[in-house]
Amino acid sequence: MSAVLEAVRAGRVGETALLVGKLTDAERRALLPELRALRKELRAMPWESRSERAYPALQVAGAMCHSGAAAAATWIAGADMRWRKAPADVLLKALADRDTGWQADVARRLAARPVSADVPFLLMAGLVRRSGCEAPVTDAYVVGWVRYIGHSWGRVPLVDRLRAEPDLAPLVNGLFELSDLGEVRWLFGDGPGSWHSALAELTGAGVLERKAVVDACVARLLRGGGPTDHRVFLPLLGELALTREEERERVADWTALARDAASPVAAHAQSVLAALALDGGLTPRRLAEAGEGLLFRAEKKLVRAQLVLLGKVLARDPSAAAELLPAVAQAFGHEDTQVQERALKLLERHAKRLDGEPAVRSGIALAADRLSPALRVRAAAALGVAATPVPEVYEEVLPPAPEPFRLAPAPDSAVELAEEIGALLASEGDVAAFERVLDGLARHAHRDQDALREALEPVAATRWWRQSEPGRGWHTEEYFGNTRYGLLAARDGLELLLASLYGIVSSDVLLTALRRGPVGHECPHTGFSRVFDLRLRELAHRIRTDPQPLLLATPTWSTGLLEPGELVDRLDAYHRAGARVGAADFAQALFRVRREDRAAAVAAAERAVALGTPEGERLARLLSAEEPAAPLSRRRTSGSRILVESGEVLEFQADFPEEFRRLGRPVTAFGESRYCYHWAQENHPHWLAALPERRELVAVRLVHDLSWSAVGDQRGTTAVLPLLAESGGPAGESTHLCVAYGLGARHPEDRLAAVDALLVLAARGQLDAERLGADLGQLVRRGAVKTLRLAESARTAAATGANATIWEMLRHTLPVLLADLATGATAGAPVAARGLGELLSVAADCAERSGARGELPHLSGVADRRGSSRVVVQARRLRDALTVAVAA
């Protein structure tokens, strides 16, 4: 036995196999515990050459010693064996003395493993060949086969390698059943010698049954799969060159593919249906069924092609109008008005064929209500019915603005508090949940720390600082005492508070970190980071040394606002308890206290003075003072970006801790380092809650970050925009510029967040559409925002019913973009022209629906151009909408 283990440790694979082969079954079973112990030992060791070379021999020894097929397969396919496995031929030789049933069972079990287990195909295939069992057509086996065939380079053509495969038919069928081709897709290639041509050649030669291959290929396209899988199966379908009869047998399949498949597959299906229809192999009813789904697709090329096909069929067979024109009417709901107009022209050309078909006319008339107002009039005239009246007074429909909610009191029970802390550590939560937990920790730490620790034990037991071992990773006190970067996320702050509560971090370390504060380099976000850091470190130190009865800065509302009367009540509670007020806690409370309601502020000031404490007098002075003027700001440009600089906020420079005074320091576009470590975007809501009535001071520090969502294609930065729109204080230049960048963000989900923010500002009456539109015009002209992205955002917002709002915005964007085109200037013209047709289309939609009238600078200069480009056509449409009243 010791000789076997010595050979395994030394990595001598051949010697290991010989030694184990001489053992009896009983001796092999007795060796297994030692092999398992060795495996456990190797797993715990750092990955190095000494442990690495033992794995192949260990894999062979374990495979030979296990008598059960399931256990042997589990051992062979173990994750720790994956990166340093024994050669397949060595394992096959080692298992050669087992009976065929056992080998077949192992082969099936190995093949049932996921593809990621990376079981060698030669091992599985060798076991199948020896045992004589059927090839297990699983994902792992088929992918392994494809890799093996694809990597078998040499002078033997792929088609000959496939022809020599004894299990070709089931494996090819398994190829079509793969859930995702994944990393083997690139092996299929294109052109002569590829899998496509080889499979088509074998099908043509009768090696593979043609009907089975065609059915499997079409079925796989119907089922879908990975996002690029159609690049394998669609070319194969083309190589198979289906006959017209084969295509006619699968009309239902082409119809389903045209409706729902990926765009290239749908285009192929549409072309097949078109050929069948023009050859007379498709009845008008079947053609109409195919068009019903296809005309709803967003790809304008496909929709236009289907309308052209329907026009050709109607020209050949006018009697089909009653069946095909309702299908044409499906395009009336398309977002592109040019598609709508193309469909309307077909209706106008063939509407007379509907005489005697009142039900069909009625159905098309209902569908015509989805047309733009101008086209709706033409449709009614073609059908000989009265047009749906256009309301004389347009009514804007805006989503209701989110209402702030009151924070519930801190959890009264320590057990409930522990549950909420566990949830926050798992999900980060929102500002309201975080602030309630902070207040709860302060209250329960002041009330009974032993009971609090007992309730928190299930949460604390899972934290890294309770499980860390000496000498491995950062020392806990060093980690929590480090102030170079501060607490980067809310979760870090909770970890610090819990570690402090359990005595993991000493009070001396907490005091040193509190006094030193963050010492990292400056960036536009440093002020918010240091305020957040200071509050949490102060609370952690007070929990250890002088617990507070409650927190003064806990907001009243979800936005971070604190009602002045509640703050006076809390100061009174401190005064009666003889508790010491925390400097950071009180400063944050002053930053949050509500001052807009002057009557409530003055009443609270009188009560605060009556307390007779320095904090009461400080609060009274703040509440009695007039609203401070906004700091001066100016614009700066940086490449394609427009940025904002802000002056000093004098109100913040007196009677506040240094970290809070930083929030009033000037913000420059270029002076401070733009590299920063505040990548935790989940902290943005906490920044807004720190200054709930001064959103412009937050927005000016976010403009540069938001610009990257449009200029640098950064993902996720716009998630703060809806919260920025819900915050308090004037929505000024920086807020609108942040929204402008978000509307041009690279990623759809980021643009959607910006649309939400725009609608919230509009619903609250705080949107300056002129400012936002002008900003967008300049950003598009400079290339920071792409016109197509802006058009998509505008269309999304308008679809909610905000047509007048979006028109008012675009009314100030379009002149900037049209000016260069109309005057023939070169600067900015190429940038503005790309996607301008889409933006004009959205503007025309909004103008038609909202009944907007008036002149738009430079619009006529573009509309008077010759040609039928999308820009010119939509410019004419917009001009007509602005100058011609739509008849009822």
Side-chain angles (χ1 to χ4, degrees):
M1 302 277 185
S2 60
V4 174
L5 291 177
E6 182 180 344
V8 170
R9 287 182 180 277
R12 298 191 289 269
V13 180
E15 182 182 343
T16 299
L18 288 174
L19 291 172
V20 176
K22 296 177 182 179
L23 300 177
T24 65
D25 290 344
E27 289 174 329
R28 292 186 185 187
R29 287 194 295 271
L31 183 59
L32 275 174
E34 297 182 63
L35 293 176
R36 293 192 186 103
L38 176 57
R39 184 180 185 182
K40 184 177 181 181
E41 177 187 332
L42 293 176
R43 283 173 174 169
M45 294 175 63
W47 191 257
E48 56 184 19
S49 58
R50 186 165 61 87
S51 63
E52 183 181 353
R53 67 171 179 261
Y55 273 106
L58 180 62
Q59 186 182 35
V60 169
M64 295 179 70
C65 289
H66 280 95
S67 58
T74 301
W75 182 277
I76 292 170
D80 49 347
M81 310 283 187
R82 188 176 308 163
W83 306 112
R84 192 67 172 88
K85 56 176 72 77
D89 58 337
V90 173
L91 274 170
L92 287 171
K93 185 177 180 180
L95 301 176
D97 60 338
R98 300 301 181 94
D99 63 75
T100 56
W102 187 92
Q103 294 192 46
D105 195 3
V106 172
R108 285 190 290 267
R109 292 177 182 277
L110 290 176
R113 293 274 168 170
V115 175
S116 59
D118 198 24
V119 179
F121 171 73
L122 288 177
L123 174 61
M124 295 185 289
L127 292 170
V128 168
R129 186 173 60 254
R130 280 185 182 177
S131 64
C133 68
E134 293 183 359
V137 186
T138 63
D139 279 11
Y141 196 88
V142 174
V143 168
W145 174 68
V146 171
R147 288 173 178 165
Y148 173 70
I149 294 290
H151 288 142
S152 299
W153 307 116
R155 298 183 179 180
V156 181
L158 174 63
V159 66
D160 293 333
R161 296 199 299 272
L162 290 172
R163 186 179 282 111
E165 172 59 55
D167 297 309
L168 181 62
L171 288 175
V172 169
N173 186 64
L175 177 64
F176 292 113
E177 295 294 329
L178 283 177
S179 57
D180 190 351
L181 292 181
E183 62 186 50
V184 300
R185 195 198 70 78
W186 68 274
L187 291 171
F188 288 84
D190 296 304
S194 67
W195 277 79
H196 310 127
S197 60
L199 291 175
E201 182 178 339
L202 293 173
T203 302
V207 177
L208 293 170
E209 183 186 353
R210 179 176 178 82
K211 185 176 187 307
V213 173
V214 173
D215 286 345
C217 191
V218 173
R220 177 52 192 264
L221 290 172
L222 282 167
R223 193 186 72 191
T228 60
D229 285 3
H230 65 270
R231 297 180 187 174
V232 171
F233 299 108
L234 186 58
L236 174 57
L237 191 64
E239 290 280 353
L240 291 171
L242 272 62
T243 64
R244 189 65 74 208
E245 184 59 32
E246 288 174 323
E247 291 175 341
R248 191 176 292 110
E249 291 173 357
R250 297 170 174 82
V251 168
D253 295 333
W254 308 130
T255 300
L257 289 172
R259 290 179 178 181
D260 303 318
S263 188
V265 181
H268 175 79
Q270 197 272 342
S271 66
V272 172
L273 289 171
L276 289 172
L278 296 176
D279 286 351
L282 202 63
T283 65
R285 181 176 296 278
R286 299 301 295 271
L287 179 58
E289 290 175 358
E292 284 178 0
L294 199 151
L295 290 172
F296 278 114
R297 294 186 68 109
E299 301 95 329
K300 288 178 281 190
K301 184 177 180 180
L302 284 177
V303 176
R304 286 196 296 264
Q306 187 67 10
L307 290 175
V308 169
L309 171 63
L310 291 171
K312 290 180 179 180
V313 174
L314 284 168
R316 286 187 177 189
D317 183 12
S319 64
E323 289 186 292
L324 295 185
L325 285 180
V328 170
Q330 300 297 321
F332 290 170
H334 200 277
E335 65 178 22
D336 186 355
T337 54
Q338 285 186 293
V339 170
Q340 293 181 13
E341 187 167 14
R342 188 185 291 266
L344 178 57
K345 286 179 179 178
L346 276 178
L347 174 65
E348 291 172 330
R349 193 176 303 136
H350 299 283
K352 60 181 180 226
R353 303 288 179 182
L354 296 178
D355 292 342
E357 299 284 351
V360 176
R361 281 181 179 271
S362 176
I364 296 176
L366 288 174
D369 287 342
R370 294 178 292 171
L371 289 167
S372 65
L375 297 181
R376 201 180 307 154
V377 174
R378 287 172 51 186
L383 292 168
V385 299
T388 303
V390 177
E392 294 183 4
V393 179
Y394 170 76
E395 184 177 350
E396 183 83 339
V397 179
L398 291 170
E403 293 291 336
F405 59 88
R406 274 187 173 271
L407 267 65
D412 189 54
S413 115
V415 173
E416 182 184 353
L417 175 64
E419 291 175 353
E420 294 197 14
I421 290 175
L424 273 177
L425 288 170
S427 64
E428 287 291 344
D430 56 15
V431 171
F434 183 74
E435 293 288 347
R436 286 183 67 247
V437 160
L438 292 189
D439 190 34
L441 279 170
R443 290 173 184 267
H444 285 279
H446 181 268
R447 187 182 306 167
D448 189 343
Q449 291 202 12
D450 291 336
L452 178 58
R453 279 189 286 268
E454 181 180 354
L456 282 168
E457 183 58 32
V459 176
T462 64
R463 312 319 300 169
W464 64 268
W465 40 265
R466 283 285 292 272
Q467 300 171 346
S468 59
E469 301 175 12
R472 301 194 62 178
W474 280 28
H475 190 276
T476 305
E477 288 204 337
E478 182 182 359
Y479 178 84
F480 285 121
N482 173 58
T483 58
R484 176 171 176 77
Y485 300 115
L487 300 168
L488 299 180
R491 184 185 293 112
D492 297 329
L494 287 178
E495 299 277 13
L496 170 64
L497 294 174
L498 293 180
S500 302
L501 178 66
Y502 278 86
I504 303 297
V505 187
S506 68
S507 57
D508 289 341
V509 169
L510 291 171
L511 181 60
T512 301
L514 178 61
R515 288 176 173 174
R516 183 169 61 232
V519 295
H521 69 274
E522 296 289 333
C523 72
H525 316 116
T526 300
F528 290 110
S529 173
R530 294 190 177 183
V531 164
F532 187 75
D533 187 271
L534 181 65
R535 285 187 63 212
L536 292 168
R537 292 191 185 279
E538 180 184 82
L539 177 56
H541 183 254
R542 290 291 296 270
I543 285 175
R544 288 297 307 277
T545 59
D546 182 17
Q548 301 156 267
L550 51 87
L551 292 183
L552 297 173
T554 304
T556 305
W557 300 98
S558 56
T559 57
L561 272 177
L562 171 57
E563 291 295 338
E566 288 192 28
L567 180 52
V568 175
D569 291 340
R570 294 172 189 174
L571 286 173
D572 184 36
Y574 264 74
H575 180 55
R576 285 185 283 102
R580 179 171 58 89
V581 170
D585 185 30
F586 183 53
Q588 179 62 89
L590 294 179
F591 272 38
R592 283 178 170 168
V593 70
R594 182 183 180 91
R595 299 167 64 186
E596 284 183 340
D597 187 343
R598 297 308 303 160
V602 171
E606 294 174 356
R607 291 180 56 209
V609 170
L611 293 177
T613 63
E615 291 79 17
E617 294 176 0
R618 175 74 180 87
L619 174 59
R621 288 197 303 273
L622 179 70
L623 293 176
S624 302
E626 294 296 326
E627 283 290 328
L632 298 176
S633 64
R634 66 169 177 169
R635 292 193 167 207
R636 300 291 296 273
T637 59
S638 174
S640 62
R641 293 178 175 87
I642 298 174
L643 304 176
V644 181
E645 295 184 332
S646 177
E648 188 174 43
V649 183
L650 296 177
E651 179 191 16
F652 291 179
Q653 303 311 312
D655 299 330
F656 286 107
E658 170 62 23
E659 286 76 8
F660 286 82
R661 291 202 294 271
R662 289 178 180 275
L663 295 180
R665 301 282 169 80
V667 177
T668 63
F670 311 107
E672 295 173 324
S673 170
R674 282 296 172 187
Y675 168 79
C676 83
Y677 43 80
H678 305 103
W679 58 80
Q681 294 166 10
E682 61 268 21
N683 268 7
H684 289 167
H686 296 280
W687 297 357
L688 284 163
L691 292 170
E693 283 190 333
R694 305 294 292 272
R695 79 172 122 203
E696 275 294 289
L697 295 183
V698 182
V700 74
R701 290 166 169 81
L702 293 176
V703 169
H704 191 274
D705 298 346
L706 269 296
S707 71
W708 281 104
S709 67
V711 178
D713 296 348
Q714 188 171 332
R715 186 188 295 272
T717 54
T718 67
V720 70
L721 286 178
L723 297 176
L724 187 67
E726 294 172 30
S727 192
E733 186 173 35
S734 297
T735 298
H736 282 79
L737 198 55
C738 285
V739 174
Y741 280 120
L743 292 173
R746 162 67 178 82
H747 301 285
E749 63 272 23
D750 289 328
R751 294 196 294 272
L752 190 59
V755 169
D756 288 343
L758 182 153
L759 295 174
V760 169
L761 287 173
R764 298 181 68 189
Q766 297 173 337
L767 179 68
D768 187 338
E770 179 178 354
R771 182 199 296 270
L772 179 59
D775 284 346
L776 286 167
Q778 293 299 327
L779 290 174
V780 171
R781 193 174 188 275
R782 298 177 66 86
V785 167
K786 290 182 170 54
T787 318
L788 280 174
R789 297 177 186 172
L790 173 58
E792 183 178 333
S793 296
R795 191 181 297 280
T796 301
T800 67
N803 293 288
T805 299
I806 300 306
W807 163 245
E808 185 64 21
M809 178 186 79
L810 295 180
R811 187 168 71 86
H812 297 91
T813 302
L814 289 171
V816 181
L817 310 182
L818 294 171
D820 293 328
L821 294 179
T823 59
T826 57
V831 173
R834 287 192 291 271
L836 181 55
E838 292 295 328
L839 196 61
L840 284 166
S841 174
V842 178
D845 285 343
C846 293
E848 289 173 348
R849 287 178 167 83
S850 64
R853 300 290 181 266
E855 293 186 4
L856 190 70
H858 310 294
L859 178 63
S860 293
V862 176
D864 289 338
R865 285 185 165 194
R866 295 180 178 179
S868 58
S869 69
R870 184 162 178 77
V871 171
V872 173
V873 169
Q874 294 300 326
R876 293 169 184 164
R877 178 184 163 217
L878 177 57
R879 183 178 61 182
D880 291 344
L882 294 174
T883 57
V884 180
V886 179

